[in-house]
Amino acid sequence: MSYFPTLRAPCALLACLAAGCFESPIGQPENKVIQVENSSPEQAKQDQFDILFMIDNSRSMEPKQKQLKDQFPSLISRLDAFAKDGHPASYHIGVVTSDLAAGPLSSAGGGTAPSGTSGCRMNGGVRGDGGKLVNVGANADPSCKPIDPKGGGNFIIYDQVHTDKSGGPANNFPAGQDLAKTFTCMASVGDTGCGMEHQLESVMEALQPKMLAPGAPNSGFLRDAAVLVVVFVTDEDDCSAPPDTDLFAQDTHPLKSGKKAFDELGYFHSFRCTEWGIKCGGLRVPRGSMTAMSGCQPLTQAEGGKLYDVSRYTDFFNKLKNDPSKVLLASISAPPDTLETIYATCDKQQEGAYPQNPATCNSPLQLNDNQCMAMGAPNQMCSVVLQHSTVGNCKGADSSHFGDPAIRLNAVINAQAADNIPKNRASICDPNYDATLNDIADKIRNHIVPHCITLRFDNPTKPQCNVSDIITCSVDHSMEQQTDYKDCDSRGNQAPCWRQCRTDSSVDGGCGADQVLVKLCRSFTSGSDPKNDQSCEICDDTAPAAPSGCSLKTRVECATVVNGSTSM
């Protein structure tokens, strides 16, 4: 909900309308505060959710993948609890990896690719895993069985709205496998993927029309009416770059400038993603030792960056559906608070935080990457690296749980709709990921159940409300159709009309005893008496299907009382 001051002067009211202070004008008494309660039958009766896990499959991710798999059942138990409370839904659950290879030059130019980059190669013209949904992960247990694509595609179907022969949710699990085992088989993607992770681009690729078309690898996963939830699980920042980039050329490869790659771009290591993708204090991250850099942001291509601009992804997610609130993003990644660059041994084999002054580094310590490689004995020479996050649990004793600050990834998540999942509630370094998984469940619940009005009406016997259907048929809302509805009393309880009704917290979405639900009754239960029965149960607010390519929301705005004074 949101609160806005009521404006007394008509000219000020017009200014407020022009600025979008509220969406539908209501007759307003003076000296009031507007409380806008947004409720939507499409949201209240939303019963389709497509959940996509982007799981980093680069080196060092195995323990984090295990933690996610171990705690996945806790998310499902929450969703099952919603179904038991009378709010079943249909879920599609898919997995995609971060591996989109690393450009055409990552395996060219001679030399051996450093550890973590040997998997960064094109495969018959396909970039890494190509954004394809994972049926069975590369590191899955041999007992894992694949989902039959003919039974629903390379993703899990878990449909609480319909039942199977046993009376449980309809599903496409392989014979002998339950939901937890099937997800575990999918999410066991291993850690041999490309170390130049393309987390954002991989998700974008997975959701392209060519990948979702009939017969394509991801066909059937994304549904028009469903809420899309994307969960990024990664211990490094996004390094999405154009497929023809030279950023990932191996060290001795000559570039168009005439220089060799390590002279111009630095050592072939994921630090290139930082140096050419992040700026701090308005300047590109330097190839040298720097402590506690703050105010770090994605570097744009116009500023000399070599990664895709993050605006590519904010635009994509905002325009993927007609209603942007139906795209929810979450991350389990390292906190993006500050950046620090240090010198570490050239082989980059350390687990956990790099030591500030590696004892194995020979003098002089301040070697650039060219010197590091040229002087031989690379295990005892040093080059610049991005220090792992030392925020929260990332500075803990568990050396297997570490991560690099996710500046680019979190910039995209933070740019999404205000209704989005709270940012970075769980760190990849945490001992469990319950915070983010619970937030995901809560946001799904908010889309399933009605929105309760928590404040008293100014006139309890005849509340002041505006209730409208809004059909939007373009991303920029340039094509909208609004239908207004009257209250049921004024229509003699003839549907469609809206009414206030009290709810049983165990029956209708958890509204408390002192809370009220305003519902648009499109019909009343056959045989009911809407004149004398004020319960919510007899009021059916199931929204009709919106026209193809359009979305339908119902907007509810009511005058209530705040702190003893009337509000609107």
Side-chain angles (χ1 to χ4, degrees), residues 5 70 125 277 345 392 522:
D70 288 346
T345 52
R522 300 180 187 275

Side-chain angles (χ1 to χ4, degrees), residues 307-457:
L307 305 184
Y308 277 127
D309 289 354
V310 295
S311 60
R312 170 182 177 87
Y313 307 107
T314 57
D315 290 347
F316 172 74
F317 288 122
N318 281 327
K319 296 178 181 179
L320 185 58
K321 296 194 177 267
N322 283 321
D323 181 357
S325 70
K326 293 180 71 173
V327 177
L328 305 177
L329 307 180
S331 75
I332 301 176
S333 58
D337 300 62
T338 60
L339 289 188
E340 179 181 1
T341 58
I342 66 167
Y343 287 89
T345 52
C346 296
D347 59 353
K348 314 294 191 301
Q349 297 297 316
Q350 295 92 342
E351 296 290 329
Y354 292 113
Q356 290 288 351
N357 294 295
T360 55
C361 285
N362 289 346
S363 181
L365 179 63
Q366 304 291 314
L367 296 174
N368 62 35
D369 293 334
N370 188 357
Q371 293 169 318
C372 186
M373 295 303 296
M375 293 181 66
N379 288 351
Q380 295 183 7
M381 295 297 116
C382 296
S383 68
V384 66
V385 297
L386 175 64
Q387 176 63 291
H388 301 313
S389 174
T390 57
V391 175
N393 286 314
C394 287
K395 62 181 178 182
D398 186 351
S399 63
S400 68
H401 279 59
F402 62 92
D404 293 343
I407 304 294
R408 284 172 51 85
L409 178 59
N410 281 279
V412 173
I413 293 177
N414 292 343
Q416 292 307 110
D419 186 46
N420 220 347
I421 295 168
K423 317 303 184 296
N424 240 24
R425 284 291 300 277
S427 164
I428 196 72
C429 307
D430 286 351
N432 65 69
Y433 301 147
D434 282 345
T436 289
L437 296 178
N438 286 338
D439 285 334
I440 292 169
D442 288 342
K443 286 298 182 181
I444 288 175
R445 181 186 182 280
N446 288 347
H447 278 267
I448 295 177
V449 303
H451 290 189
C452 307
I453 295 178
T454 60
L455 304 175
R456 291 187 297 113
F457 286 131

Side-chain angles (χ1 to χ4, degrees), residues 51-117:
I51 306 176
L52 179 61
F53 286 88
M54 192 303 304
I55 302 179
D56 186 342
N57 65 332
S58 67
R59 182 174 172 271
S60 76
M61 276 297 298
E62 189 72 31
K64 294 99 164 182
Q65 294 170 15
K66 182 181 185 303
Q67 188 159 296
L68 174 68
K69 292 180 289 187
D70 288 346
Q71 293 176 280
F72 175 77
S74 67
L75 170 63
I76 299 305
S77 67
R78 293 284 306 279
L79 304 185
D80 285 341
F82 301 158
K84 292 178 181 178
D85 286 342
H87 301 290
S90 170
Y91 299 94
H92 285 181
I93 303 171
V95 170
V96 67
T97 76
S98 56
D99 189 349
L100 280 185
L105 304 179
S106 61
S107 58
T112 301
S115 177
T117 60

Side-chain angles (χ1 to χ4, degrees), residues 93-310:
I93 303 171
V95 170
V96 67
T97 76
S98 56
D99 189 349
L100 280 185
L105 304 179
S106 61
S107 58
T112 301
S115 177
T117 60
S118 58
C120 300
R121 291 176 170 82
M122 307 288 281
N123 181 17
V126 177
R127 302 171 63 195
D129 292 333
K132 297 179 182 178
L133 292 177
V134 177
N135 195 316
V136 175
N139 199 37
D141 188 273
S143 65
C144 286
K145 301 175 183 177
I147 293 175
D148 183 358
K150 295 180 181 179
N154 295 314
F155 56 89
I156 294 170
I157 295 175
Y158 188 63
D159 187 354
Q160 300 167 334
V161 179
H162 303 92
T163 58
D164 60 13
K165 294 180 181 179
S166 67
N171 63 77
N172 64 343
F173 309 154
Q177 287 187 187
D178 60 11
L179 175 57
K181 175 66 179 290
T182 304
F183 179 78
T184 293
C185 293
M186 277 186 172
S188 298
V189 295
D191 60 358
T192 59
C194 182
M196 309 294 189
E197 295 97 318
H198 286 49
Q199 295 95 328
L200 291 166
E201 187 70 13
S202 184
V203 169
M204 183 171 171
E205 183 71 12
L207 300 176
Q208 291 299 308
K210 66 180 181 180
M211 299 293 286
L212 299 167
N218 303 344
S219 175
F221 173 74
L222 188 66
R223 295 168 288 183
D224 289 342
V227 172
L228 172 66
V229 182
V230 182
V231 187
F232 295 90
V233 184
T234 179
D235 63 4
E236 290 195 65
D237 200 2
D238 173 70
C239 192
S240 297
D244 60 351
T245 183
D246 64 1
L247 179 61
F248 309 118
Q250 291 200 31
D251 298 306
T252 57
H253 188 84
L255 302 181
K256 292 180 180 179
S257 64
K259 296 181 179 180
K260 291 184 178 180
F262 61 66
D263 287 325
E264 183 169 323
L265 302 174
Y267 183 61
F268 187 15
H269 180 261
S270 59
F271 183 74
R272 284 189 188 176
C273 304
T274 302
E275 181 180 353
W276 298 96
I278 303 296
K279 63 181 179 180
C280 296
L283 300 175
R284 198 177 77 201
V285 173
R287 198 182 307 167
S289 180
M290 295 288 291
T291 60
M293 291 177 283
S294 59
C296 299
Q297 299 174 316
L299 184 71
T300 66
Q301 291 182 334
E303 296 169 319
K306 287 183 172 288
L307 305 184
Y308 277 127
D309 289 354
V310 295

